[in-house]
Amino acid sequence: MRTVEDVEPRARVLSLLALALMAYLVLLGRLGYWQAIRHRDLAAVARAQHDDRLILPAVRGRLLDRYGAPLVTNTPVFSIFASPDLIPTADRAEVADRLGGVLGMAPADLLAKLATTRKFVYLKRRVPASVAHQVEALAQPGIGKIAESQRSYLEGAVPGTSLAANLLGFVNDSGQGAYGIEGYYDQQLAGTNGYEATFRDITGRPIVLSDRTRVEPINGASLQLTIDGAIQVAAERALADGIKKVEAESGSILIMEPTTGRIVAWADIPTYDANLFSAVADQNPRLFVDSNVSDLYEPGSVMKVVTLSGALDRHAITPTTTFNETGSVVIGGYRIKNWDNKAHGVVTMTQVLEKSLNVGAIKAEQLEGGPAFFESLSQFGVGQRTSIDLAGEVNATLGAYANWRPVELATASFGQGVDVTPIQMLGAINVIASGGDLVWPHVVDQVIDARGVAHPVAPRVIRHVLAPTTVNQMRQMMVGVVEHGSGYAARIDGFRGKIAGKTGTANIPENGTYPSGEVIGSFVGFVPVDHPQFTMLVIVRKPKILFEGAYVAAPIWKAVASALITQWNIAPQ
Amino acid sequence: MKRHRGLTLVSMPVPLPGWSTLWRRGDRGLLLAVGGLAAFGLVMVFSASESQGWLWHRNAAYYFERQLVWLVLGAGLLWGCAQLDYHRLRPLVRPLALGSLALLLLVFVPHLGVTSNGARRWLKFGPLEMQPAELAKVAVLLYMASWLERRRDRLHSVEEGVLPFLALLALITGLVMLERDLGTTLILAAIMLSQFLVAGSRKRHVLLLVAIVALAIAALIRMEPYRFHRIMAFLNPWADPLNSGFQSIQSILALGSGGIFGVGLGQSIQKYQWLPFAHTDFIFAIVGEETGLLGTTAVLVLFAVFTYRGYRIALRAPDLFGSLLACGITTWITAQAVINIAAVTVTLPTTGIPLPFISYGGSSLAISLLAVGILMNIAVQGEKVGWIRHARVDLGRRYGWAPVPRDRDRAGAVAEGP
């Protein structure tokens, strides 16, 4: 016989048990949610709140010239920071007031920086040690300093600039290398910061019982550059003087060792003071751009060296090949004239180069044939990245041959309508100086790691371009340019007949046409002709007083070449 | 019919030997669960309090040492109560209830009552501090067991059963509420209601009373601004992570940091002042951080074992009084564990009660163990088939729930013992 009372007492206790077990299950579910599903993100939040990580900064590597002289040094500075969460809101105005005086900042600006929910904010970067000590003396909780180091670059030859600023680049406020070598080699130079990790309790005290993990910093590698400091100074000075003389807008000097591709000097004016990079960034960041790798230009007649070398190498012409030069030629409906608008009669190819005759260059291009000419442009590295170890190299590819009209090939033969970077052009002409090889230009000679072990950078030949006979023929033709032709301003006493060169005067294109008046004058040459020790390209942009490369660039080339000859004890042989 | 009163058993010379007999005759599962929780709790108290102990007392083991002393004392109380026939507690019921009532009122006497963390729930006699609420739980469950047993035939009556019960409920919970102790109030209500249910009241009355309690709590929360804020903080702790939401956030950060396997015993970071009350009310969060989901699940399982064995003892108790006592004690520990863990896991709002057997807090530990002792004694006297099962044969009687213990068999069983 079952009644309600029969089963109830037992059922009631069991229902209590069931209720309790249900509650336990719910709690188990909650625990699973927090501990298994949310484990990752909650652990990260917890770590963020109690991990205390003291960064042990790696010392940035040094930059040395080819003789080991430092081009940049590290100066200790301090950055002042705040932990706004440790400064009560009510006290912030007063803190900003006191700090403003020491840091030389408007209290309102400081107050704005403090008004944040972040736990860390920089108040002022890179102040000298004296200011940092004053801040420390305030003994304000929540305000601290971080020791950092700042790059100090050498003074340049031009007042208000630093030496080789465009080549070296700089290190920005976040400690990252920007532009040039500092940009390209940032990772190696920076090294790896170490840290000391510990935990802190809620008041910021380190937890004494906890393990400390200390990871030592790995200092950055130092770079021994291929740059010759003295020549760099001479080049910058000569370029500045030359530019001033002809009231040009800007200019470049690039010098490399012919067979190894080592860059000896690298000037680019206008330039800037890398020590004041933040002011430059505010006023004229365009100054950071290294024209030698980051700007394209039409090289003009310097390109004739490439055109004629290609034709010689394919035996389409010889240095003594003659033809009747009529002063102009019509191609594809366009009449192309010489720079002097004159007809020169029967001339040899040597004379074409010496007198820099556009019609002659077109003749050589036509004798060689369009496809072969186009091929030799590529062989000389025109339209190809040099892969120089500097940040910001640009390139304009030649594209497909099919896209080139005959008139474009014709103008390309004397360096118009084809865009190159200065380093590309230097590399192309250097093929003659190196004895027929296109070499890889580079600025770092060896990487010296944190332990002091040097890792040399091996020179590389990109490709073999010209046969030795062609090289010799072209070298003599280029000597002719200096001895008998447009390059006379580059002659150096004691080196007569030993200097090979070529002038260039290019019109500057603007929206597809060439508005008259604005030109780029350039001179490229190497010395001594039989065993070249260096190849140098000088570019002067938009001169106002004289125009031709012969007048504006060759004298600068001569000045720097003289310095190199003296400095390096180069004999004429 | 003269023997029907369980009291006749009491006078019988039941041999009450030591631990070994407790182990054989008593409830092993219960003893293992409590022993496991208390031992683990002692380890966790050391781990969770070492920072606090060092900071405040220059002794990392400060809290551990005290907890150890209380644990030994508690074990003694457990043993003692297990020896003491629980029927002998009957004469103590009334004085204990009155004394407890007096202590609860004393909290409001200036200089004696101490306010801590916004709640006035401590009594201070010289160096001794105690929370009368702890003792009140034991007093209430004893008193209610006796009261309900006496009234078991009138419990269906509204005037004589339900209303007097409601009055008692209101008086007791009201007093504790005045001390701003919502957690203890909830536990007391749970104890009384569960006993009321098992004693044989009408189900609809129990449900009605549960509804009244729920409404009262809702009203109390709405009335007290700090309680309302706690609720809001519970609903979204991240809204105010540095103030009202701080404890909840630090608690789940501790749990979350532990993951499945934990960061290792003693390796907690949250205990370094990040988590307030790390060694008391929120020790379970540190358990979660150091031993992971495995550790927290193990603790939950031990509590579940306790609950199961506790209610099983209630089912097997020789009489209604024992059944109600066992039921009250089990409900108490269970409710307290659930409410505490629910707060730690941000499943319910924080109420500020310790985790039984594990949290630091001597008087709480000792009194819990004392209660376990009572439970053990009920278990020792229990039978495979308790009074509830025997109730069947009595169904035709006027007092349907009169216990019919099989005295002789029981006595014989004991006599045949060790």
Side-chain angles (χ1 to χ4, degrees):
Chain A
M1 160 177 149
R2 282 168 65 94
T3 67
V4 173
E5 275 90 355
D6 177 10
V7 286
E8 261 203 343
R10 186 175 172 81
R12 288 179 178 204
V13 174
L14 290 179
S15 69
L16 285 175
L17 177 62
L19 200 65
L21 293 181
M22 254 158 56
Y24 287 135
L25 273 180
V26 168
L27 293 179
L28 189 63
R30 284 296 272 182
L31 287 168
Y33 174 69
W34 295 124
Q35 300 201 270
I37 298 172
R38 295 285 304 276
H39 165 57
R40 246 170 201 284
D41 60 312
L42 290 176
V45 173
R47 263 199 305 279
Q49 96 178 350
H50 41 55
D51 274 19
D52 207 0
R53 189 164 270 228
L54 181 69
I55 298 293
L56 307 172
V59 177
R60 194 172 175 89
R62 299 191 302 161
L63 297 177
L64 311 164
D65 85 346
R66 63 165 56 197
Y67 306 114
L71 294 173
V72 61
T73 51
N74 293 323
T75 315
V77 288
F78 296 90
S79 285
I80 307 301
F81 70 90
S83 304
D85 57 324
L86 297 180
I87 307 171
T89 321
D91 299 355
R92 287 184 185 168
E94 195 209 325
V95 171
D97 241 21
R98 287 196 294 159
L99 271 176
V102 176
L103 294 177
M105 291 172 73
D109 294 348
L110 283 170
L111 205 53
K113 289 190 175 196
L114 290 176
T116 171
T117 52
R118 285 189 298 158
K119 289 197 163 174
F120 180 94
V121 60
Y122 278 117
L123 297 180
K124 190 163 189 183
R125 299 296 302 266
R126 295 161 197 276
V127 300
S130 57
V131 174
H133 289 321
Q134 279 175 276
V135 172
E136 217 167 17
L138 295 178
Q140 168 67 43
I143 303 286
K145 67 177 166 61
I146 298 175
E148 292 186 273
S149 76
Q150 176 170 288
R151 297 294 239 188
S152 287
Y153 300 92
L154 300 183
E155 201 180 328
V158 184
T161 68
S162 56
L163 190 68
N166 292 90
L167 174 78
L168 302 181
F170 58 89
V171 179
N172 67 18
D173 272 339
S174 357
Q176 283 168 321
Y179 299 97
I181 293 170
E182 299 271 28
Y184 189 91
Y185 284 98
D186 188 41
Q187 237 180 333
Q188 286 104 310
L189 285 168
T192 311
N193 283 342
Y195 61 87
E196 190 169 275
T198 177
F199 301 110
R200 60 188 164 95
D201 75 4
I202 193 163
T203 56
R205 283 176 296 223
I207 295 173
V208 264
L209 308 167
S210 78
D211 296 333
R212 275 166 186 268
T213 322
R214 190 184 163 95
V215 174
E216 294 298 331
I218 301 165
N219 288 339
S222 292
L223 303 178
Q224 180 147 12
L225 307 185
T226 58
I227 299 296
D228 183 321
I231 301 303
Q232 177 70 27
V233 173
E236 286 186 13
R237 184 169 295 138
L239 183 62
D241 289 350
I243 284 175
K244 208 170 169 189
K245 210 172 283 174
V246 297
E247 294 179 16
E249 186 185 278
S250 63
S252 295
I253 293 182
L254 300 80
I255 308 174
M256 73 193 260
E257 287 181 12
T259 53
T260 59
R262 292 183 184 128
I263 299 293
V264 177
W266 186 272
D268 179 28
I269 285 178
T271 181
Y272 62 97
D273 187 344
N275 298 307
L276 306 173
F277 66 87
S278 57
V280 178
D282 291 341
Q283 289 154 16
N284 188 7
R286 164 73 203 164
L287 289 177
F288 292 143
V289 176
D290 184 355
S291 294
N292 298 358
V293 290
S294 302
D295 281 345
L296 294 164
Y297 78 118
E298 295 191 6
S301 304
V302 169
M303 190 62 93
K304 286 172 186 157
V305 173
V306 174
T307 309
L308 296 190
S309 297
L312 285 170
D313 206 48
R314 288 166 210 271
H315 308 294
I317 60 167
T318 68
T320 52
T321 300
T322 56
F323 74 106
N324 188 15
E325 206 268 319
T326 56
S328 69
V329 60
V330 176
I331 294 165
Y334 296 90
R335 176 172 294 274
I336 300 171
K337 294 186 260 188
N338 282 325
W339 59 275
D340 54 4
N341 292 329
K342 286 180 191 161
H344 294 263
V346 175
V347 290
T348 64
M349 280 297 164
T350 302
Q351 285 169 314
V352 165
L353 199 67
E354 286 170 0
K355 297 181 199 299
S356 199
L357 302 174
N358 291 349
V359 175
I362 295 170
K363 185 75 187 172
E365 181 260 316
Q366 287 172 337
L367 288 171
E368 187 185 12
F373 168 66
F374 187 78
E375 167 70 17
S376 63
L377 281 184
S378 297
Q379 285 287 305
F380 276 82
V382 174
Q384 291 165 0
R385 232 172 264 279
T386 64
S387 302
I388 188 170
D389 46 349
L390 287 173
E393 186 182 10
V394 299
N395 180 41
T397 57
L398 291 176
Y401 174 72
N403 296 335
W404 286 68
R405 291 181 295 158
V407 66
E408 288 171 334
L409 287 168
T411 59
S413 73
F414 55 88
Q416 296 281 181
V418 55
D419 285 322
V420 295
T421 57
I423 185 62
Q424 261 176 32
M425 203 59 232
L426 177 69
I429 305 303
N430 187 65
V431 170
I432 317 297
S434 71
D437 292 334
L438 183 67
V439 301
W440 169 60
H442 60 282
V443 295
V444 170
D445 195 35
Q446 45 187 1
V447 177
I448 302 158
D449 69 21
R451 285 167 302 160
V453 181
H455 307 274
V457 175
R460 289 204 305 266
V461 170
I462 295 170
R463 73 179 78 90
H464 185 67
V465 182
L466 295 176
T469 43
T470 314
V471 169
N472 286 332
Q473 286 169 341
M474 181 46 71
R475 282 177 176 176
Q476 289 314 311
M477 289 165 80
M478 287 175 75
V479 168
V481 170
V482 176
E483 288 301 314
H484 315 295
S486 57
Y488 57 88
R491 291 174 198 157
I492 296 171
D493 290 340
F495 282 82
R496 294 300 296 270
K498 298 294 178 192
I499 298 173
K502 181 71 193 88
T503 57
T505 309
N507 288 302
I508 300 175
E510 232 172 71
N511 304 322
T513 65
Y514 295 91
S516 61
E518 306 236 293
V519 297
I520 293 178
S522 57
F523 186 88
V524 65
F526 49 87
V527 77
V529 66
D530 301 320
H531 301 282
Q533 298 299 300
F534 62 88
T535 311
M536 180 183 350
L537 172 64
V538 177
I539 298 172
V540 177
R541 299 180 192 87
K542 300 188 183 177
K544 286 206 180 65
I545 293 179
L546 298 163
F547 298 100
E548 280 82 3
Y551 303 130
V552 299
I556 300 172
W557 190 96
K558 177 183 170 178
V560 180
S562 305
L564 254 168
I565 287 166
T566 314
Q567 195 79 26
W568 284 13
N569 291 319
I570 296 172
Q573 293 181 344
Chain B
M1 278 309 293
K2 260 206 140 181
R3 295 179 307 167
H4 83 275
R5 298 203 63 158
L7 267 173
T8 50
L9 285 175
V10 177
S11 53
M12 194 191 63
V14 178
L16 293 168
W19 287 112
S20 63
T21 307
L22 264 189
W23 180 246
R24 273 195 297 279
R25 283 284 293 149
D27 192 310
R28 286 181 206 177
L30 185 86
L31 208 57
L32 281 175
V34 171
L37 288 168
F40 185 58
L42 191 64
V43 173
M44 287 314 299
V45 161
F46 180 58
S47 175
S49 71
E50 56 176 345
S51 149
Q52 181 97 339
W54 180 252
L55 277 178
W56 289 11
H57 307 285
R58 288 290 161 225
N59 176 7
Y62 180 88
Y63 296 99
F64 169 78
E65 289 163 0
R66 272 147 193 80
Q67 185 79 345
L68 183 61
V69 169
W70 279 106
L71 182 60
V72 170
L73 188 74
L77 285 174
L78 192 161
W79 187 74
C81 283
Q83 309 303 305
L84 179 71
D85 184 345
Y86 69 89
H87 298 97
R88 291 200 188 196
L89 295 170
R90 271 211 178 97
L92 289 174
V93 164
R94 201 174 290 264
L96 195 63
L98 288 174
S100 186
L101 192 67
L103 285 175
L104 280 173
L105 289 170
L106 269 179
V107 171
F108 298 102
V109 175
H111 304 298
L112 282 178
V114 179
T115 305
S116 156
N117 302 307
R120 192 181 188 96
R121 45 177 95 149
W122 294 84
L123 266 185
K124 200 174 169 87
F125 303 105
L128 268 177
E129 273 191 10
M130 70 165 295
Q131 262 185 304
E134 290 298 332
L135 191 62
K137 288 172 198 160
V138 179
V140 162
L141 69 89
L142 276 169
Y143 183 79
M144 285 315 294
S146 154
W147 189 87
L148 286 164
E149 190 196 33
R150 274 183 281 118
R151 285 194 184 231
R152 63 173 172 247
D153 48 350
R154 285 170 283 167
L155 288 181
H156 288 191
S157 145
V158 173
E159 297 81 20
E160 289 190 73
V162 180
L163 285 180
F165 176 78
L166 184 60
L168 274 174
L169 185 68
L171 171 75
I172 292 163
T173 55
L175 259 178
V176 179
M177 230 25 243
L178 283 178
E179 295 179 13
R180 302 183 150 213
D181 193 343
L182 182 59
T184 305
T185 309
L186 278 173
I187 293 163
L188 286 171
I191 293 170
M192 293 174 75
L193 285 168
S194 72
Q195 287 178 317
F196 189 55
L197 174 74
V198 172
S201 60
R202 283 192 192 281
K203 269 189 279 185
R204 60 168 177 272
H205 290 153
V206 175
L207 290 176
L208 185 71
L209 286 167
V210 168
I212 289 172
V213 168
L215 278 174
I217 288 168
L220 285 169
I221 286 170
R222 206 68 193 86
M223 265 160 34
E224 281 277 7
Y226 89 94
R227 238 173 250 142
F228 186 64
H229 279 132
R230 270 191 186 176
I231 296 283
M232 293 320 288
F234 156 69
L235 291 176
N236 182 13
W238 303 96
D240 189 4
L242 291 180
N243 296 307
S244 58
F246 186 77
Q247 195 163 22
S248 296
I249 287 174
Q250 295 304 329
S251 177
I252 55 177
L253 286 184
L255 288 175
S257 297
I260 301 218
F261 301 102
V263 297
L265 266 183
Q267 301 297 309
S268 161
I269 300 297
Q270 287 292 93
K271 68 188 178 188
Y272 291 99
Q273 310 297 306
W274 287 103
L275 178 63
F277 304 105
H279 61 299
T280 57
D281 295 353
F282 276 79
I283 196 166
F284 193 66
I286 303 299
V287 171
E289 187 185 3
E290 297 197 344
T291 65
L293 186 58
L294 294 181
T296 52
T297 305
V299 170
L300 267 189
V301 167
L302 287 178
F303 273 117
V305 168
F306 179 93
T307 305
Y308 167 67
R309 302 302 293 201
Y311 284 133
R312 189 165 168 270
I313 291 168
L315 284 177
R316 295 182 173 198
D319 54 12
L320 181 59
F321 183 59
S323 219
L324 290 177
L325 275 184
C327 183
I329 291 168
T330 310
T331 304
W332 159 25
I333 299 295
T334 303
Q336 191 163 332
V338 167
I339 291 172
N340 177 281
I341 295 174
V344 169
T345 55
V346 198
T347 312
L348 288 176
T350 309
T351 48
I353 54 167
L355 184 60
F357 310 123
I358 294 188
S359 284
Y360 174 78
S363 55
S364 164
L365 176 67
I367 292 177
S368 310
L369 290 173
L370 178 147
V372 173
I374 298 175
L375 207 49
M376 284 303 287
N377 183 263
I378 301 169
V380 169
Q381 298 192 39
E383 311 174 1
K384 283 251 186 284
V385 180
W387 68 273
I388 286 176
R389 197 44 71 79
H390 287 299
R392 266 181 182 213
V393 294
D394 288 347
L395 276 176
R397 301 176 183 221
R398 191 171 151 215
Y399 306 132
W401 290 27
V404 187
R406 294 183 293 167
D407 309 11
R408 294 215 172 97
D409 295 355
R410 281 196 71 261
V414 172
E416 282 158 24

